[in-house]
Short mmCIF file of all heavy atoms in Angstrom, two decimals:
data_model
loop_
_atom_site.label_atom_id
_atom_site.label_comp_id
_atom_site.label_asym_id
_atom_site.label_seq_id
_atom_site.Cartn_x
_atom_site.Cartn_y
_atom_site.Cartn_z
N ALA A 171 48.75 62.03 -5.36
CA ALA A 171 49.54 61.62 -4.15
C ALA A 171 50.41 60.46 -4.57
O ALA A 171 51.65 60.47 -4.39
CB ALA A 171 48.59 61.24 -3.01
N ASP A 172 49.80 59.48 -5.29
CA ASP A 172 50.69 58.39 -5.83
C ASP A 172 50.86 58.66 -7.30
O ASP A 172 49.96 58.43 -8.14
CB ASP A 172 49.99 57.00 -5.55
CG ASP A 172 49.98 56.56 -4.21
OD1 ASP A 172 50.70 57.15 -3.35
OD2 ASP A 172 49.39 55.46 -3.83
N GLU A 173 51.87 59.38 -7.60
CA GLU A 173 51.98 59.88 -9.01
C GLU A 173 52.56 58.90 -9.93
O GLU A 173 53.20 57.83 -9.49
CB GLU A 173 52.75 61.23 -8.94
CG GLU A 173 54.26 60.86 -8.54
CD GLU A 173 55.00 62.25 -8.38
OE1 GLU A 173 54.51 63.26 -7.74
OE2 GLU A 173 56.12 62.30 -9.00
N LEU A 174 52.32 59.23 -11.25
CA LEU A 174 52.88 58.27 -12.25
C LEU A 174 54.30 58.48 -12.37
O LEU A 174 54.91 59.64 -12.03
CB LEU A 174 52.20 58.76 -13.55
CG LEU A 174 50.65 58.31 -13.76
CD1 LEU A 174 50.29 58.87 -15.06
CD2 LEU A 174 50.38 56.85 -13.62
N PRO A 175 54.99 57.51 -12.92
CA PRO A 175 56.48 57.58 -13.05
C PRO A 175 56.81 58.48 -14.26
O PRO A 175 56.05 58.78 -15.22
CB PRO A 175 56.87 56.12 -13.21
CG PRO A 175 55.61 55.53 -13.93
CD PRO A 175 54.50 56.19 -13.32
N THR A 176 58.08 58.68 -14.45
CA THR A 176 58.62 59.07 -15.65
C THR A 176 58.97 57.96 -16.49
O THR A 176 59.84 56.98 -16.21
CB THR A 176 60.02 59.81 -15.41
OG1 THR A 176 59.77 61.12 -14.55
CG2 THR A 176 60.74 60.40 -16.78
N TRP A 177 58.45 57.83 -17.70
CA TRP A 177 58.39 56.69 -18.59
C TRP A 177 59.77 56.66 -19.34
O TRP A 177 60.28 57.82 -19.55
CB TRP A 177 57.31 56.75 -19.58
CG TRP A 177 55.94 56.98 -18.88
CD1 TRP A 177 55.26 58.15 -18.95
CD2 TRP A 177 55.23 56.06 -18.19
NE1 TRP A 177 54.01 58.06 -18.31
CE2 TRP A 177 54.03 56.67 -17.83
CE3 TRP A 177 55.35 54.73 -17.78
CZ2 TRP A 177 53.01 56.19 -17.08
CZ3 TRP A 177 54.29 54.16 -17.03
CH2 TRP A 177 53.11 54.82 -16.70
N THR A 178 60.22 55.37 -19.58
CA THR A 178 61.49 55.36 -20.21
C THR A 178 61.29 54.94 -21.74
O THR A 178 60.48 53.98 -21.95
CB THR A 178 62.31 54.21 -19.60
OG1 THR A 178 62.59 54.59 -18.23
CG2 THR A 178 63.67 54.06 -20.40
N ASN A 179 62.00 55.62 -22.55
CA ASN A 179 61.77 55.48 -24.04
C ASN A 179 62.06 54.13 -24.46
O ASN A 179 63.07 53.47 -24.05
CB ASN A 179 62.65 56.42 -24.88
CG ASN A 179 62.39 56.44 -26.30
OD1 ASN A 179 61.32 56.42 -26.71
ND2 ASN A 179 63.43 56.41 -27.13
N GLY A 180 61.17 53.45 -25.07
CA GLY A 180 61.28 52.10 -25.76
C GLY A 180 60.84 51.05 -24.75
O GLY A 180 60.84 49.80 -25.12
N TYR A 181 60.40 51.32 -23.58
CA TYR A 181 59.89 50.36 -22.51
C TYR A 181 58.45 50.08 -22.70
O TYR A 181 57.67 50.88 -23.09
CB TYR A 181 60.25 50.77 -21.20
CG TYR A 181 61.67 50.55 -20.77
CD1 TYR A 181 62.67 50.34 -21.65
CD2 TYR A 181 62.02 50.78 -19.37
CE1 TYR A 181 63.97 50.18 -21.23
CE2 TYR A 181 63.51 50.50 -18.89
CZ TYR A 181 64.24 50.30 -19.90
OH TYR A 181 65.57 50.16 -19.50
N THR A 182 58.16 48.75 -22.31
CA THR A 182 56.70 48.42 -22.38
C THR A 182 56.16 48.44 -20.95
O THR A 182 56.82 47.82 -20.01
CB THR A 182 56.61 47.01 -22.95
OG1 THR A 182 57.10 47.14 -24.37
CG2 THR A 182 55.23 46.58 -22.99
N TYR A 183 54.99 48.90 -20.78
CA TYR A 183 54.29 48.86 -19.40
C TYR A 183 52.91 48.18 -19.51
O TYR A 183 52.25 48.37 -20.48
CB TYR A 183 54.25 50.32 -18.94
CG TYR A 183 55.56 51.07 -18.83
CD1 TYR A 183 56.06 51.81 -19.84
CD2 TYR A 183 56.11 51.04 -17.69
CE1 TYR A 183 57.32 52.50 -19.89
CE2 TYR A 183 57.45 51.70 -17.54
CZ TYR A 183 58.05 52.41 -18.64
OH TYR A 183 59.24 52.93 -18.42
N ASN A 184 52.74 47.54 -18.34
CA ASN A 184 51.27 46.98 -18.15
C ASN A 184 50.62 47.63 -17.00
O ASN A 184 51.33 47.89 -15.96
CB ASN A 184 51.50 45.55 -17.83
CG ASN A 184 51.89 44.49 -18.89
OD1 ASN A 184 51.86 45.05 -20.16
ND2 ASN A 184 52.49 43.39 -18.58
N ILE A 185 49.39 48.01 -17.25
CA ILE A 185 48.58 48.84 -16.26
C ILE A 185 47.55 48.04 -15.78
O ILE A 185 46.71 47.37 -16.54
CB ILE A 185 48.09 50.18 -16.84
CG1 ILE A 185 49.12 50.91 -17.55
CG2 ILE A 185 47.34 50.96 -15.84
CD1 ILE A 185 50.27 51.53 -16.66
N TYR A 186 47.46 47.78 -14.50
CA TYR A 186 46.40 47.04 -13.84
C TYR A 186 45.48 48.02 -13.01
O TYR A 186 46.02 48.78 -12.28
CB TYR A 186 46.83 45.82 -12.96
CG TYR A 186 47.92 44.93 -13.73
CD1 TYR A 186 49.17 45.12 -13.80
CD2 TYR A 186 47.36 43.88 -14.39
CE1 TYR A 186 50.19 44.41 -14.38
CE2 TYR A 186 48.33 43.02 -15.06
CZ TYR A 186 49.56 43.18 -15.12
OH TYR A 186 50.49 42.41 -15.78
#
Side-chain angles (χ1 to χ4, degrees):
D172 287 352
E173 62 183 50
L174 291 181
T176 299
W177 312 102
T178 300
N179 186 43
Y181 279 15
T182 300
Y183 298 90
N184 293 339
I185 308 298
Y186 305 91

